[in-house]
Each structure stands twice: as C-alpha cells, then as structure tokens.
Amino acid sequence: MSIAYDSVLQWLRETDSKTLDGLWHAADEKRKEWVGDAIHLRGLIECSSVCIRSCTYCGLAKENKELTRYRMTSKEMIECAHRAVDLGYGTVVLQGGEDYGLTKDMISETIRAIKSETKLAVTLSLGERTDEELVAWREAGADRYLLRFETSRQDLYEKIHPNVLGKVSDRMAILRRLKELGYEVGTGIMLGIPGQTYEDVAKDIVLFSEMDVDMIGMGPYLAHEDTPLGEEAEDICAETEDQCPSGELITYKAVALARLLCPWANIPATTALATINKVDGRELALSRGANIVMPNVTPVKYRALYEIYPDKACIEETAEQCQGCLDARIRNIHRHIGIGPGHAQKRA
C-alpha cells in the first residue's frame, strides 16, 4: 500500500469499518515484515511529577495546586531498573515533568549506574533540556530520547504549550540536535487537540517519515480536569469545522499510517489507549501496527501522583501484577515478548 499525504488524509477521514479493515491488515503485515512478532517491553519509571511548564491540558502543569508533587532519588530509579531486569525487560524509560531538580549530574549518575549494573537500554523523556545536559546524558550512556512535538502547527502548539522562562520552544531543533548526538530519536503527537484539523494530523504523520525518526508515540488528547482545557475554557482554542476527533479510532488510524510510512520505527501501544479502552485498547493497537508496550515499574506509592490525565490505567498494580497481565494479553494475540533492547530497525 503506497501512502502519500492525500491518501493519509483520506484514511484519517474514513469511517467504514470494512474499508478500514484493509488499513489494519496492511499495517499489520508491514509491522510483521519489518519488526516481526516480538513485542518489546519498556519499563516506565515516572521519576518526577514536578514541572516548570504550564501546558494547558496536562495535570502536571505548575499551576495545578491540587497535585502532590514528588521527585524520585537516583537510588530509587536504579532500584526500579533492577526490577525491570528481573521482569525480563530490555529497556527502561526515565520519564518526568520538565523538572530541573533532575539535574545534569543526578541523571548522568543514574544512567551510568544502570548501564554498569545491567544490560538495559536507557530512554530519557525529560522535556526540553539544555544542550549541555543532552550531551552529558548521551556521554553517560543514554540510548534514546523521547520528545513529542504534539503538533507541528506553530499557532496551535503555542496555545497548548506556552513558552516559559523567557525561552521560545523549538522542539524540532532539539530533535535534530538529538539525532546529531547519536540518540535514537522518538517523537509523536496528540490526536484531537481542540482546533486541530485532519489536515494538521495528516501533515504530522507524513512529517514523521521526513524526519526519519526511530520511535513514534501517539495517543488521544485527554485533558486533565484541573487545567484550562480540562475546564473547557473556550478562549484557549476554538474548535474548527474540520476538527480532528479524539478517541480510539483516530489513534488506531494514526498508528497504522505511521507504520506504513515509517516501517522501521518502534511504535508503542500507549497507556492512553489502555485508559480509554481498558478491555483491549493495547491489543487493538498491537494488531494495527504497534510493537511496543511500556509497563509501569514506578513504585505504586508514586503512580497516582503522576496524573497527566485522569483515570490513568494500571495505577494500583505492582510491576509484577502488570507483567503477568501483559504476558497473558500478548499470548492471546499470538505474539511474544521480545528479548533485548529492541532498537529501531535499520533503514533499507
């Protein structure tokens, strides 16, 4: 199936279930051809709920006074990494708000310890950080960096991601720099942002291929209730006549189309999908192009405090309980858990 912008746009608007079966099949075949039947598990360590940003949909936004904040110690993160090893994972993901209390030296020390004590790959998702920090963390041994640009439409991005500290946000420049530094580079978008059109989403999906990214994370727009967009403030961004919807179906379409355009990429079945469809959201994504799942290895005492959006899946499960559930789900769709770090495939 050859995919170009017009075709992507047409598929995003498609609603006929029988027609969409063709898209699901093509994406699943492309996934099998390029990355096989292995589903790689990335142990997610939600290391800090502190954030300096004021994103208008995110529960971690600094204005949210209802949230109890925490920051894990380096020792706690390293302990989580060892738990991931015990569970058979090949990667850990250090993810947090844009928290400058997670200093260059602290994260460097944590990365070095994980790399010296385990065979894990280390992915970082810590927001827009300085070049000095990104260089130091790569030198310490970090393998990947995930920074979603959310939407490439600048006016829409600025409405949901206000600039902070007098600095203009330029995630595209950071993503290019990450590639220069030798990181595997991950990015992604939200689907259904108020004011986002189908055309916006189609352009973003084509952009993934042009950027030659290694990881693509996409999920439905879910605004936290204690944020301006969660309170449905009409003056933040007005809906358009061609508004792209949020929800499951548009996310599955985006996953499938991203697989067809970027067959080499690692594409997760996100926690947001598991949140809006706790029965089989992940499984449907995995059967429509995804090949990664990110089970949570964060201590249970912190999980409910990392509330980017409400009613997040699996916040009361231990890492061991989560692993048992995932193993059964993966076997039920006739796939298997991957061994090792599961790096992105080399391009043809």
PDB file of all heavy atoms in Angstrom, residues 326-344:
ATOM      1  N   LEU A 326       0.175  -8.469  31.188  1.00  0.00           N
ATOM      2  CA  LEU A 326       0.679  -8.241  29.834  1.00  0.00           C
ATOM      3  C   LEU A 326       1.074  -9.535  29.138  1.00  0.00           C
ATOM      4  O   LEU A 326       0.808  -9.723  27.956  1.00  0.00           O
ATOM      5  CB  LEU A 326       1.886  -7.300  29.880  1.00  0.00           C
ATOM      6  CG  LEU A 326       1.594  -5.811  29.976  1.00  0.00           C
ATOM      7  CD1 LEU A 326       2.899  -5.047  30.109  1.00  0.00           C
ATOM      8  CD2 LEU A 326       0.821  -5.335  28.763  1.00  0.00           C
ATOM      9  N   ASP A 327       1.715 -10.429  29.879  1.00  0.00           N
ATOM     10  CA  ASP A 327       2.143 -11.694  29.297  1.00  0.00           C
ATOM     11  C   ASP A 327       0.942 -12.457  28.730  1.00  0.00           C
ATOM     12  O   ASP A 327       0.988 -12.970  27.610  1.00  0.00           O
ATOM     13  CB  ASP A 327       2.873 -12.524  30.351  1.00  0.00           C
ATOM     14  CG  ASP A 327       3.427 -13.812  29.778  1.00  0.00           C
ATOM     15  OD1 ASP A 327       4.283 -13.746  28.883  1.00  0.00           O
ATOM     16  OD2 ASP A 327       2.977 -14.899  30.215  1.00  0.00           O
ATOM     17  N   ALA A 328      -0.140 -12.492  29.493  1.00  0.00           N
ATOM     18  CA  ALA A 328      -1.339 -13.193  29.035  1.00  0.00           C
ATOM     19  C   ALA A 328      -1.957 -12.494  27.821  1.00  0.00           C
ATOM     20  O   ALA A 328      -2.372 -13.154  26.850  1.00  0.00           O
ATOM     21  CB  ALA A 328      -2.359 -13.269  30.173  1.00  0.00           C
ATOM     22  N   ARG A 329      -2.009 -11.182  27.862  1.00  0.00           N
ATOM     23  CA  ARG A 329      -2.590 -10.433  26.749  1.00  0.00           C
ATOM     24  C   ARG A 329      -1.791 -10.629  25.460  1.00  0.00           C
ATOM     25  O   ARG A 329      -2.358 -10.762  24.370  1.00  0.00           O
ATOM     26  CB  ARG A 329      -2.659  -8.950  27.095  1.00  0.00           C
ATOM     27  CG  ARG A 329      -3.737  -8.592  28.126  1.00  0.00           C
ATOM     28  CD  ARG A 329      -3.619  -7.135  28.568  1.00  0.00           C
ATOM     29  NE  ARG A 329      -4.638  -6.776  29.529  1.00  0.00           N
ATOM     30  CZ  ARG A 329      -5.759  -6.109  29.256  1.00  0.00           C
ATOM     31  NH1 ARG A 329      -5.988  -5.738  28.004  1.00  0.00           N
ATOM     32  NH2 ARG A 329      -6.634  -5.805  30.190  1.00  0.00           N
ATOM     33  N   ILE A 330      -0.462 -10.629  25.585  1.00  0.00           N
ATOM     34  CA  ILE A 330       0.388 -10.794  24.409  1.00  0.00           C
ATOM     35  C   ILE A 330       0.229 -12.185  23.816  1.00  0.00           C
ATOM     36  O   ILE A 330       0.150 -12.360  22.593  1.00  0.00           O
ATOM     37  CB  ILE A 330       1.848 -10.485  24.786  1.00  0.00           C
ATOM     38  CG1 ILE A 330       2.006  -8.972  24.996  1.00  0.00           C
ATOM     39  CG2 ILE A 330       2.821 -10.983  23.714  1.00  0.00           C
ATOM     40  CD1 ILE A 330       3.320  -8.559  25.631  1.00  0.00           C
ATOM     41  N   ARG A 331       0.165 -13.199  24.668  1.00  0.00           N
ATOM     42  CA  ARG A 331      -0.030 -14.556  24.160  1.00  0.00           C
ATOM     43  C   ARG A 331      -1.393 -14.714  23.494  1.00  0.00           C
ATOM     44  O   ARG A 331      -1.539 -15.465  22.517  1.00  0.00           O
ATOM     45  CB  ARG A 331       0.128 -15.568  25.301  1.00  0.00           C
ATOM     46  CG  ARG A 331       1.589 -15.815  25.682  1.00  0.00           C
ATOM     47  CD  ARG A 331       1.777 -16.945  26.674  1.00  0.00           C
ATOM     48  NE  ARG A 331       1.474 -16.533  28.040  1.00  0.00           N
ATOM     49  CZ  ARG A 331       0.364 -16.858  28.699  1.00  0.00           C
ATOM     50  NH1 ARG A 331      -0.559 -17.594  28.105  1.00  0.00           N
ATOM     51  NH2 ARG A 331       0.161 -16.445  29.935  1.00  0.00           N
ATOM     52  N   ASN A 332      -2.400 -14.007  23.998  1.00  0.00           N
ATOM     53  CA  ASN A 332      -3.745 -14.111  23.434  1.00  0.00           C
ATOM     54  C   ASN A 332      -3.835 -13.573  22.010  1.00  0.00           C
ATOM     55  O   ASN A 332      -4.758 -13.945  21.263  1.00  0.00           O
ATOM     56  CB  ASN A 332      -4.751 -13.370  24.322  1.00  0.00           C
ATOM     57  CG  ASN A 332      -5.103 -14.152  25.571  1.00  0.00           C
ATOM     58  OD1 ASN A 332      -4.876 -15.359  25.645  1.00  0.00           O
ATOM     59  ND2 ASN A 332      -5.659 -13.480  26.565  1.00  0.00           N
ATOM     60  N   ILE A 333      -2.912 -12.697  21.626  1.00  0.00           N
ATOM     61  CA  ILE A 333      -2.919 -12.199  20.245  1.00  0.00           C
ATOM     62  C   ILE A 333      -1.814 -12.863  19.415  1.00  0.00           C
ATOM     63  O   ILE A 333      -1.442 -12.380  18.342  1.00  0.00           O
ATOM     64  CB  ILE A 333      -2.808 -10.660  20.188  1.00  0.00           C
ATOM     65  CG1 ILE A 333      -1.512 -10.156  20.833  1.00  0.00           C
ATOM     66  CG2 ILE A 333      -4.020  -9.993  20.828  1.00  0.00           C
ATOM     67  CD1 ILE A 333      -1.260  -8.659  20.612  1.00  0.00           C
ATOM     68  N   HIS A 334      -1.307 -13.993  19.934  1.00  0.00           N
ATOM     69  CA  HIS A 334      -0.344 -14.827  19.213  1.00  0.00           C
ATOM     70  C   HIS A 334       0.954 -14.079  18.871  1.00  0.00           C
ATOM     71  O   HIS A 334       1.528 -14.250  17.802  1.00  0.00           O
ATOM     72  CB  HIS A 334      -0.977 -15.398  17.941  1.00  0.00           C
ATOM     73  CG  HIS A 334      -2.278 -16.083  18.173  1.00  0.00           C
ATOM     74  ND1 HIS A 334      -2.383 -17.265  18.889  1.00  0.00           N
ATOM     75  CD2 HIS A 334      -3.552 -15.730  17.828  1.00  0.00           C
ATOM     76  CE1 HIS A 334      -3.659 -17.623  18.952  1.00  0.00           C
ATOM     77  NE2 HIS A 334      -4.373 -16.707  18.328  1.00  0.00           N
ATOM     78  N   ARG A 335       1.389 -13.279  19.811  1.00  0.00           N
ATOM     79  CA  ARG A 335       2.682 -12.598  19.711  1.00  0.00           C
ATOM     80  C   ARG A 335       3.529 -13.029  20.897  1.00  0.00           C
ATOM     81  O   ARG A 335       3.063 -13.744  21.795  1.00  0.00           O
ATOM     82  CB  ARG A 335       2.479 -11.071  19.707  1.00  0.00           C
ATOM     83  CG  ARG A 335       1.563 -10.548  18.598  1.00  0.00           C
ATOM     84  CD  ARG A 335       2.266 -10.244  17.310  1.00  0.00           C
ATOM     85  NE  ARG A 335       3.053  -9.026  17.400  1.00  0.00           N
ATOM     86  CZ  ARG A 335       2.541  -7.803  17.291  1.00  0.00           C
ATOM     87  NH1 ARG A 335       1.254  -7.612  17.111  1.00  0.00           N
ATOM     88  NH2 ARG A 335       3.342  -6.742  17.363  1.00  0.00           N
ATOM     89  N   HIS A 336       4.780 -12.595  20.932  1.00  0.00           N
ATOM     90  CA  HIS A 336       5.652 -12.980  22.026  1.00  0.00           C
ATOM     91  C   HIS A 336       6.459 -11.775  22.504  1.00  0.00           C
ATOM     92  O   HIS A 336       6.637 -10.791  21.772  1.00  0.00           O
ATOM     93  CB  HIS A 336       6.589 -14.119  21.620  1.00  0.00           C
ATOM     94  CG  HIS A 336       7.518 -13.772  20.500  1.00  0.00           C
ATOM     95  ND1 HIS A 336       7.185 -13.956  19.177  1.00  0.00           N
ATOM     96  CD2 HIS A 336       8.778 -13.243  20.497  1.00  0.00           C
ATOM     97  CE1 HIS A 336       8.200 -13.578  18.408  1.00  0.00           C
ATOM     98  NE2 HIS A 336       9.172 -13.130  19.182  1.00  0.00           N
ATOM     99  N   ILE A 337       6.938 -11.862  23.736  1.00  0.00           N
ATOM    100  CA  ILE A 337       7.725 -10.784  24.320  1.00  0.00           C
ATOM    101  C   ILE A 337       9.132 -10.811  23.741  1.00  0.00           C
ATOM    102  O   ILE A 337       9.786 -11.855  23.678  1.00  0.00           O
ATOM    103  CB  ILE A 337       7.767 -10.913  25.855  1.00  0.00           C
ATOM    104  CG1 ILE A 337       6.361 -10.702  26.433  1.00  0.00           C
ATOM    105  CG2 ILE A 337       8.745  -9.908  26.457  1.00  0.00           C
ATOM    106  CD1 ILE A 337       6.268 -10.920  27.930  1.00  0.00           C
ATOM    107  N   GLY A 338       9.590  -9.655  23.305  1.00  0.00           N
ATOM    108  CA  GLY A 338      10.914  -9.550  22.702  1.00  0.00           C
ATOM    109  C   GLY A 338      12.023  -9.609  23.734  1.00  0.00           C
ATOM    110  O   GLY A 338      11.842  -9.240  24.893  1.00  0.00           O
ATOM    111  N   ILE A 339      13.178 -10.059  23.305  1.00  0.00           N
ATOM    112  CA  ILE A 339      14.367 -10.154  24.145  1.00  0.00           C
ATOM    113  C   ILE A 339      15.337  -9.048  23.742  1.00  0.00           C
ATOM    114  O   ILE A 339      15.531  -8.760  22.561  1.00  0.00           O
ATOM    115  CB  ILE A 339      15.062 -11.523  23.967  1.00  0.00           C
ATOM    116  CG1 ILE A 339      14.067 -12.666  24.258  1.00  0.00           C
ATOM    117  CG2 ILE A 339      16.280 -11.622  24.875  1.00  0.00           C
ATOM    118  CD1 ILE A 339      13.516 -12.661  25.666  1.00  0.00           C
ATOM    119  N   GLY A 340      15.965  -8.438  24.757  1.00  0.00           N
ATOM    120  CA  GLY A 340      16.966  -7.419  24.471  1.00  0.00           C
ATOM    121  C   GLY A 340      16.366  -6.032  24.338  1.00  0.00           C
ATOM    122  O   GLY A 340      15.175  -5.819  24.578  1.00  0.00           O
ATOM    123  N   PRO A 341      17.193  -5.057  23.937  1.00  0.00           N
ATOM    124  CA  PRO A 341      16.759  -3.654  23.946  1.00  0.00           C
ATOM    125  C   PRO A 341      15.757  -3.293  22.878  1.00  0.00           C
ATOM    126  O   PRO A 341      15.052  -2.294  22.997  1.00  0.00           O
ATOM    127  CB  PRO A 341      18.071  -2.887  23.759  1.00  0.00           C
ATOM    128  CG  PRO A 341      18.963  -3.829  23.040  1.00  0.00           C
ATOM    129  CD  PRO A 341      18.610  -5.195  23.577  1.00  0.00           C
ATOM    130  N   GLY A 342      15.680  -4.044  21.791  1.00  0.00           N
ATOM    131  CA  GLY A 342      14.700  -3.756  20.761  1.00  0.00           C
ATOM    132  C   GLY A 342      14.931  -2.421  20.076  1.00  0.00           C
ATOM    133  O   GLY A 342      14.014  -1.609  19.933  1.00  0.00           O
ATOM    134  N   HIS A 343      16.151  -2.189  19.616  1.00  0.00           N
ATOM    135  CA  HIS A 343      16.446  -0.934  18.929  1.00  0.00           C
ATOM    136  C   HIS A 343      15.662  -0.852  17.615  1.00  0.00           C
ATOM    137  O   HIS A 343      15.232  -1.869  17.052  1.00  0.00           O
ATOM    138  CB  HIS A 343      17.940  -0.834  18.632  1.00  0.00           C
ATOM    139  CG  HIS A 343      18.779  -0.663  19.858  1.00  0.00           C
ATOM    140  ND1 HIS A 343      18.576   0.357  20.766  1.00  0.00           N
ATOM    141  CD2 HIS A 343      19.826  -1.398  20.352  1.00  0.00           C
ATOM    142  CE1 HIS A 343      19.453   0.267  21.758  1.00  0.00           C
ATOM    143  NE2 HIS A 343      20.223  -0.791  21.535  1.00  0.00           N
ATOM    144  N   ALA A 344      15.492   0.367  17.114  1.00  0.00           N
ATOM    145  CA  ALA A 344      14.800   0.570  15.845  1.00  0.00           C
ATOM    146  C   ALA A 344      15.542  -0.148  14.734  1.00  0.00           C
ATOM    147  O   ALA A 344      16.761  -0.294  14.754  1.00  0.00           O
ATOM    148  CB  ALA A 344      14.705   2.071  15.535  1.00  0.00           C
TER     149      ALA A 344
END
